[in-house]
Amino acid sequence: MEELTAGKGSRVQHAKYGPGVIIGVKYAQYVVTFMDQGIIDIDKTDPLFEILHIENQSVEVETTSAVETSLLKILRLWGEPTEIIPLGDKWEGGTILLQPKDASLKPKELPIEVFFHKIVMVRDRLRVLEQQVNSHKQLSDEDKVNMQQYITRIYGSLTTFNVLFKQKEHWFTGEKGGKED
């Protein structure tokens, strides 16, 4: 079954960017001119995006092999992390206490679940950044490798927080001696 796609001239609405018109069609995105925001690439599966009136509807252009097509569909589906990551049992209901050196200053107490949620969000956003770097068309391979190395170092810096995760598979991992001399 062939998938149909809206073409140039289709009128659209985006919850964040407002009304617009499709001016280009890519494999996984529409290039849209928004009234107040200018030209923005919008993922075809963006839940905030709605096609109001379709113009020039056509069969989606097949530009990749069947395996690549399947992979792209999987990436579209799972591109934004939505997995529920469990906090380690021993931390549930706990708090983090930030105690200043100066005893006259009030300490800050934070529910560990709130802190953990922020750590997971950082991890998920790093994963999305990593995907965007790797798929960026204007970056050279050397630039991608250099940026990927920085991302890996960031993961390594965050390994301290692995103690909070219930399952080891959710841990941050850095270089782990992966360098070859």
Side-chain angles (χ1 to χ4, degrees):
M1 183 169 153
E2 296 178 326
E3 189 175 330
L4 296 178
T5 184
K8 293 180 182 178
S10 297
R11 289 183 306 210
V12 299
Q13 178 73 32
H14 193 279
K16 181 176 178 184
Y17 305 120
V21 175
I22 295 175
I23 61 169
V25 179
K26 296 180 180 180
Y27 187 78
Q29 297 174 319
Y30 291 113
V31 181
V32 180
T33 287
F34 290 101
M35 304 285 270
D36 299 323
Q37 304 295 322
I39 298 172
I40 300 175
D41 289 354
I42 300 294
D43 191 271
K44 289 180 179 180
T45 60
D46 185 335
L48 301 176
F49 182 71
E50 178 184 3
I51 298 172
L52 300 175
H53 180 75
I54 293 178
E55 293 287 339
N56 304 310
Q57 188 175 23
S58 63
V59 173
E60 188 160 350
V61 179
E62 189 64 39
T63 59
T64 57
S65 72
V67 172
E68 290 170 320
T69 301
S70 295
L71 180 59
L72 282 171
K73 286 181 180 179
I74 291 167
L75 289 174
R76 282 184 199 163
L77 180 63
W78 298 104
E80 288 295 320
T82 56
E83 181 181 13
I84 303 296
I85 309 297
L87 176 66
D89 294 336
K90 68 181 177 182
W91 303 110
E92 287 182 15
T95 59
I96 292 178
L97 182 65
L98 301 173
Q99 181 71 49
K101 181 179 179 181
D102 184 347
S104 67
L105 297 174
K106 185 178 175 183
K108 171 75 173 171
E109 193 170 319
L110 180 70
I112 202 160
E113 286 88 354
V114 171
F115 181 74
F116 180 70
H117 177 71
K118 291 184 184 294
I119 295 295
V120 170
M121 286 175 53
V122 167
R123 188 197 68 166
D124 289 347
R125 289 179 179 152
L126 276 172
R127 287 180 175 173
V128 171
L129 175 63
E130 194 171 20
Q131 290 172 355
Q132 290 178 346
V133 165
N134 290 333
S135 66
H136 200 285
K137 291 180 169 67
Q138 294 178 341
L139 291 174
S140 69
D141 287 343
E142 181 181 353
D143 289 336
K144 289 179 184 180
V145 168
N146 288 337
M147 293 178 88
Q148 184 62 45
Q149 287 175 348
Y150 280 107
I151 292 169
T152 300
R153 288 184 203 128
I154 293 168
Y155 282 131
S157 298
L158 294 169
T159 58
T160 301
F161 301 109
N162 287 345
V163 69
L164 298 173
F165 291 86
K166 185 173 188 172
Q167 298 162 343
K168 191 173 183 177
E169 68 217 33
H170 296 129
W171 284 11
F172 292 101
T173 55
E175 294 181 69
K176 291 195 296 190
K179 291 184 178 179
E180 293 180 349
D181 294 316

